Structure formats: structure tokens, C-alpha cells
């Protein structure tokens, strides 16, 4: 941990291991990341559980970067307003670097569906907040999935935009 004094008054460096209540992560990221697109989306998330990771903030208090590494997201529950069921995470990793988040080898259950592996990334550098699903392997209950699909806001945008 470093806070600048004297000539280095703008220096800021935080480099700490964390044992975190994941319910606090969306609120913390909301305050640390200066993107309205990100802030609008992060309020749609909530979560429960605990995880360990690493937080780095630095190097200049006037324009600092944020990096969060969570090597194992097992035993956490994520709720996302755009999905009707919570996502019970059983493994995988999560990373945030400034305006980009990525996940690797994440697996778990979402309602009646089983995600055996997914990796991807999203960015909030511009208003479109592009999200790339780089890999996805799942066992999907197609009847429930097809019933739910037309009710989702993003489905209409994908089909009609």
C-alpha cells in the first residue's frame, strides 16, 4: 500500500490479497470504474458467497487503474436481472482490468440448465458494451429455454435490430 507525499503526492498503489463477501463486489466496482454504461449494468447484478482474490489499484490517484483477479469463483451465487434464475457458480475464474471483464472455464447451474464450461469477455469502453462468448458448453432444457426466450428483451433486439 502506497500513498504519495511531497513530490510524489499523486502516487497511489494498492496491491492486496482479498477475502471478500461477493455481495459487496458490484457496489465496489460501481464506485471504482468510471463508465456510465458499466454502472447501468452492474446494478442489475447481486451475489452471495465468499471468494478470495487479488486487488490492484494504482498508480496515480488522478487517473488510476483497477485490476481484480478471482482465481476460483466456486460456491458463489450470482443473480442477474436479465436471467430468470440465479447462476450457482461451481468453478472458474473472473478478472476485471479497467474497462474489461473476462471469465474463464466458468461452470455451474442456471435453473434447469447446466453450464459445463464458458469463457468470455465484455468491455464497457463504449456504449454498446460488446460481450464475446468465446466458448460455451451446456446441457440445456430446450422446452424451458424456448418458452423463456421470447420474453427476454435482448432476444427482440437480436431478431429485429
Amino acid at each position: 500500500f502506497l500513498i504519495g507525499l511531497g513530490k510524489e503526492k499523486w502516487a497511489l498503489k494498492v496491491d492486496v490479497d482479498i477475502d471478500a463477501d461477493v455481495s459487496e463486489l458490484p457496489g465496489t466496482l460501481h464506485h471504482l470504474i468510471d463508465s456510465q454504461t458499466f454502472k447501468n449494468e452492474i446494478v442489475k447484478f447481486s451475489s452471495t458467497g465468499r471468494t478470495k482474490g487479488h486487488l490492484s489499484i494504482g498508480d496515480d490517484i488522478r487517473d488510476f487503474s483497477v485490476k481484480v483477479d478471482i482465481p476460483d469463483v466456486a460456491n458463489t451465487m450470482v443473480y442477474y436481472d436479465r436471467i430468470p434464475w440465479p447462476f450457482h457458480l461451481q468453478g472458474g475464474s473472473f478478472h476485471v482490468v479497467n474497462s474489461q471483464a473476462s471469465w474463464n472455464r466458468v461452470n455451474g447451474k442456471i435453473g434447469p440448465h447446466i453450464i459445463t464450461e464458458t469463457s468470455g469477455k465484455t468491455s464497457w469502453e463504449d456504449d454498446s458494451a460488446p460481450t464475446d462468448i468465446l466458448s460455451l458448453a451446456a446441457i440445456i432444457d430446450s422446452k424451458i429455454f424456448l418458452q423463456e426466450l421470447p420474453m427476454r428483451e435482448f432476444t427482440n433486439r437480436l431478431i429485429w435490430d
Side-chain angles (χ1 to χ4, degrees):
F1 184 76
L2 168 75
I3 296 179
L5 300 172
K7 289 168 127 181
E8 301 294 324
K9 68 181 177 182
W10 302 114
L12 169 69
K13 179 103 173 134
V14 176
D15 199 20
V16 295
D17 290 329
I18 54 175
D19 179 359
D21 177 347
V22 295
S23 68
E24 296 177 9
L25 185 60
T28 300
L29 292 175
H30 187 276
H31 293 295
L32 288 174
I33 296 175
D34 188 28
S35 163
Q36 193 57 49
T37 301
F38 174 80
K39 290 179 183 213
N40 292 343
E41 200 63 24
I42 198 70
V43 297
K44 295 178 171 102
F45 284 88
S46 62
S47 50
T48 61
R50 293 197 72 80
T51 194
K52 294 182 180 194
H54 192 83
L55 171 66
S56 299
I57 302 173
D59 290 321
D60 188 317
I61 199 165
R62 296 167 295 183
D63 186 24
F64 58 87
S65 62
V66 176
K67 181 178 179 186
V68 178
D69 288 309
I70 301 172
D72 187 6
V73 295
N75 301 315
T76 58
M77 188 85 69
V78 176
Y79 303 86
Y80 181 41
D81 288 353
R82 297 182 189 273
I83 299 174
W85 306 283
F87 190 176
H88 180 236
L89 301 173
Q90 297 172 331
S93 61
F94 178 74
H95 311 278
V96 174
V97 179
N98 295 327
S99 62
Q100 185 171 354
S102 63
W103 59 95
N104 298 298
R105 298 175 312 279
V106 170
N107 61 81
K109 295 180 181 180
I110 302 176
H113 314 296
I114 299 170
I115 307 298
T116 56
E117 189 278 332
T118 183
S119 296
K121 62 184 179 178
T122 190
S123 173
W124 43 90
E125 288 180 339
D126 62 52
D127 290 338
S128 68
T131 300
D132 295 321
I133 306 292
L134 303 173
S135 65
L136 175 63
I139 301 168
I140 303 292
D141 182 322
S142 60
K143 181 178 178 183
I144 293 173
F145 180 74
L146 292 173
Q147 287 172 346
E148 182 66 26
L149 197 57
M151 295 188 293
R152 296 286 128 208
E153 173 188 336
F154 68 87
T155 305
N156 291 331
R157 286 192 312 234
L158 287 174
I159 294 171
W160 304 113
D161 287 352

